[in-house]
Amino acid sequence: MELVLRLHRHMREQKRPYDVEFDMDPVCWTQCPDSFSLLRVQRDRWQRGLWEALWAHRKMWFNPRYGRIGVVALPYFLLFEALAPIIEVFSYAFVIVLALTGQLDLRFLALFLLVALLYGAVVSVTALSIELFMRVHFRRPVDRIALLLTALGENFGFRQWHAWVRFLAIFRLGRRRGQWGSMTRRKIRARGF
């Protein structure tokens, strides 16, 4: 992300025409961690990397000089990605405080959670559907069903754990700048799709 932001910034400041395009056939892939502890390390690292990239290019935030990257993309990443775990964790804490003080309307909470979970499921299933429509990686119906169930189930526990990990990463920003740590990897067996 930081490299792409640096390219955008440089080309805009040099007033040179350019294009940064998306390639559906990547030349590299991210290997998924094998355990929750490694996943936690990876997501911590990604959250810190997001903040470091945003901070390094903060002069681009909301700045029309940098086009849609400055006016749309960076504000989106700041408000909906970087700040999201802070808002989410404080929201959970606020609900607990309301419940403990007897100020929580359980009917409203149930309806709100239902709408939030349905929205999250719709977003996940839509993204999955687009991927499956654009590129057929998973031909077996059982694989597609497993992906669908995962997309629906991620909103129950995993999302909250993920928000907490990303929230805690924010407190390590200054201390571990540019330090990514090591990631244990297993050899990948080739498998046809």
Side-chain angles (χ1 to χ4, degrees):
M1 177 182 182
E2 199 281 326
L3 180 60
V4 173
L5 284 175
R6 191 181 308 186
L7 287 169
H8 278 294
R9 185 174 175 177
H10 174 77
M11 297 304 280
R12 283 286 181 157
E13 289 174 354
Q14 298 296 315
K15 296 183 169 66
R16 294 173 57 188
Y18 71 101
D19 286 316
V20 176
E21 298 179 5
F22 174 74
D23 185 4
M24 289 182 59
D25 295 312
V27 293
C28 66
W29 295 83
T30 297
Q31 184 178 354
C32 297
D34 293 336
S35 67
F36 270 104
S37 62
L38 288 176
L39 181 62
R40 181 190 54 75
V41 170
Q42 180 192 61
R43 299 309 164 97
D44 174 281
R45 184 174 62 239
W46 286 3
Q47 183 69 18
R48 288 184 292 113
L50 171 64
W51 271 106
E52 288 176 15
L54 287 172
W55 188 251
H57 300 284
R58 63 190 174 276
K59 80 181 241 180
M60 295 172 66
W61 299 357
F62 305 98
N63 190 336
R65 177 179 179 196
Y66 296 98
R68 65 180 181 255
I69 302 302
V71 176
V72 177
L74 285 178
Y76 169 84
F77 276 102
L78 176 65
L79 299 173
F80 296 103
E81 293 293 333
L83 295 174
I86 297 169
I87 295 167
E88 193 168 343
V89 167
F90 277 112
S91 296
Y92 295 137
F94 187 62
V95 167
I96 291 169
V97 168
L98 289 176
L100 292 175
T101 59
Q103 299 176 25
L104 184 63
D105 181 350
L106 292 178
R107 197 173 76 225
F108 173 78
L109 177 65
L111 288 172
F112 182 82
L113 285 175
L114 179 64
V115 169
L117 291 173
L118 285 174
Y119 174 74
V122 166
V123 169
S124 295
V125 170
T126 302
L128 177 61
S129 299
I130 291 169
E131 173 68 19
L132 290 175
F133 176 75
M134 299 296 289
R135 305 198 30 106
V136 182
H137 287 296
F138 303 95
R139 288 183 169 74
R140 296 184 326 168
V142 69
D143 293 335
R144 290 179 182 217
I145 291 169
L147 282 172
L148 177 63
L149 292 175
T150 302
L152 294 172
E154 73 178 343
N155 293 295
F156 302 95
F158 178 77
R159 177 182 179 84
Q160 294 75 20
W161 173 83
H162 190 235
W164 180 248
V165 168
R166 293 174 62 207
F167 176 76
L168 293 177
I170 295 166
F171 296 102
R172 286 189 276 284
L173 279 173
R175 291 180 285 165
R176 300 188 67 193
R177 184 173 174 85
Q179 296 178 12
W180 303 117
S182 62
M183 183 64 69
T184 306
R185 307 241 187 250
R186 284 190 319 177
K187 185 175 181 178
I188 299 174
R189 291 181 297 141
R191 187 179 116 188
F193 286 64

